[in-house]
Amino acid sequence: MRRAFASAKTRTGLGLLALFALIAVIGPWIAPYDPSATGPDALRPPSGQHLLGTTQTGQDVLSQLLVGTRGVLLVGFVSAVIAMVLAALVGITAGYLGGVADEALSALGNVFLVMPGAPLVIIIASLLPETGYLVVAAILGLTGWAWGARVLRAQTLSLRRRDYVVAARAVGEPTWRIIVCEILPNLSAVLAAGFVGSVVYGVMSLITLSFIGVIDVSQWNWGSILFWAQSNQALAQGSWWWFVPAGLCIALLGTALALVNFGLDELVNPRLRSEGAPPARRGRGRAARAAAHRARMRVGFTAVLPAPPQAGRPGPAAEPELTPEAFAPLSTAGVPALLKEDV
């Protein structure tokens, strides 16, 4: 993880995410106006009174943007948490147990893999009187875990044959401890990368559903801002301040998540890790450069030790100690004598 955080791209992405998270927490408190309150200043460009201008009904765009950040991040992160928890439970369990359990869980994953989340939200939104952010996040999370489960299952099939997992199973460790302490730590980078992808999916799904007017557009988020701007023909009227700030926020959030994902890819893929490593300083030598580019594998908590010698069975032979006396027969004085004996 230190290698990932040492990347400038990862630090930049985390900085942008921290900024958006701060705005999501304190946005409703620092908003200069009520985002739904109308006023006499209609379609005013940015000014000292309204930093990002106003809408057709005199609503402050900056206040809408600040208040709407909380809903975007709430749906993105809640749906990602639900999706990754289900993916870890199904994928790791199926890959470790195998057999009938693997086939049943894989079949369940294939069903959810072809189940679209956005159309399901549209159907449920048409049936419910009010569709809140938590309902949207729950639907997106419950329908978006299948692909992550397939990736985790494939990784678990490889890890279950490692020496430390076999040793933990041999000493009688329970299944839950083997999964939590031996397999799960080696899947942390894969889980983090899948979590970032799920956040992107949740954010873009909410913005898309709000932009097309499926969910309640009276709840402010970046998609609902674009919905009202498109409905009132802001582009045709030249009111760029109505839709450009929301579009820039979407682009910046997507860029931040992509930069974080690049740093996590260096942990998952050793080839990217070695290619992206900084060049070694002069004078460090070939051994230092090889050590800097070497990919290390994290092992489990169970130590793998050689078996002690049993009665009647000899233990491993000790390696002979290399001393100057061991090379005495091969000295220059002894070579002619050996040659004479061979002749």
Side-chain angles (χ1 to χ4, degrees), residues 107-132:
L108 179 64
N110 293 333
V111 172
F112 279 89
L113 190 63
V114 298
M115 183 179 297
L120 188 60
V121 174
I122 296 175
I123 296 174
I124 295 178
S126 63
L127 298 176
L128 296 178
E130 183 179 356
T131 306

Side-chain angles (χ1 to χ4, degrees), residues 201-225:
Y201 171 73
V203 168
M204 297 308 300
S205 298
L206 173 67
I207 292 173
T208 302
L209 294 172
S210 299
F211 178 72
I212 62 179
V214 172
I215 62 177
D216 188 8
V217 293
S218 62
Q219 298 179 355
W220 292 108
N221 60 74
W222 300 342
S224 60
I225 295 175

Side-chain angles (χ1 to χ4, degrees), residues 17-249:
L17 282 180
L19 177 61
F20 281 115
L22 180 63
I23 294 175
V25 173
I26 66 175
W29 301 338
I30 63 175
Y33 302 95
D34 184 0
S36 301
T38 59
D41 299 329
L43 286 181
R44 297 293 183 180
S47 60
Q49 188 176 2
H50 300 280
L51 297 180
L52 292 181
T54 59
T55 65
Q56 192 173 7
T57 57
Q59 298 171 337
D60 186 66
V61 177
L62 177 61
S63 301
Q64 296 177 356
L65 200 66
L66 294 175
V67 174
T69 306
R70 176 178 296 182
V72 173
L73 294 186
L74 179 65
V75 172
F77 280 92
V78 171
S79 62
V81 169
I82 296 174
M84 293 313 301
V85 168
L86 293 177
L89 289 175
V90 176
I92 298 177
T93 303
Y96 179 77
L97 297 179
V100 179
D102 184 15
E103 295 179 359
L105 293 176
S106 298
L108 179 64
N110 293 333
V111 172
F112 279 89
L113 190 63
V114 298
M115 183 179 297
L120 188 60
V121 174
I122 296 175
I123 296 174
I124 295 178
S126 63
L127 298 176
L128 296 178
E130 183 179 356
T131 306
Y133 288 140
L134 294 179
V135 176
V136 176
I139 296 173
L140 295 176
L142 292 174
T143 57
W145 58 267
W147 181 255
R150 291 175 65 91
V151 175
L152 293 173
R153 173 184 174 273
Q155 295 293 328
T156 306
L157 289 174
S158 174
L159 292 175
R160 62 177 296 188
R161 297 179 178 88
R162 303 284 181 176
D163 293 339
Y164 52 88
V165 177
V166 175
R169 192 184 302 115
V171 299
E173 293 289 346
T175 302
W176 68 267
R177 188 185 184 280
I178 296 176
I179 294 177
V180 173
C181 298
E182 310 293 344
I183 296 179
L184 195 60
N186 290 291
L187 296 176
S188 57
V190 181
L191 287 170
F195 179 81
V196 173
S198 299
V199 172
V200 175
Y201 171 73
V203 168
M204 297 308 300
S205 298
L206 173 67
I207 292 173
T208 302
L209 294 172
S210 299
F211 178 72
I212 62 179
V214 172
I215 62 177
D216 188 8
V217 293
S218 62
Q219 298 179 355
W220 292 108
N221 60 74
W222 300 342
S224 60
I225 295 175
L226 296 178
F227 168 80
W228 290 111
Q230 189 270 340
S231 300
N232 293 279
Q233 299 181 354
L235 181 61
Q237 299 180 22
S239 304
W240 57 268
W241 58 87
W242 196 348
F243 56 87
V244 168
L248 288 177
C249 288

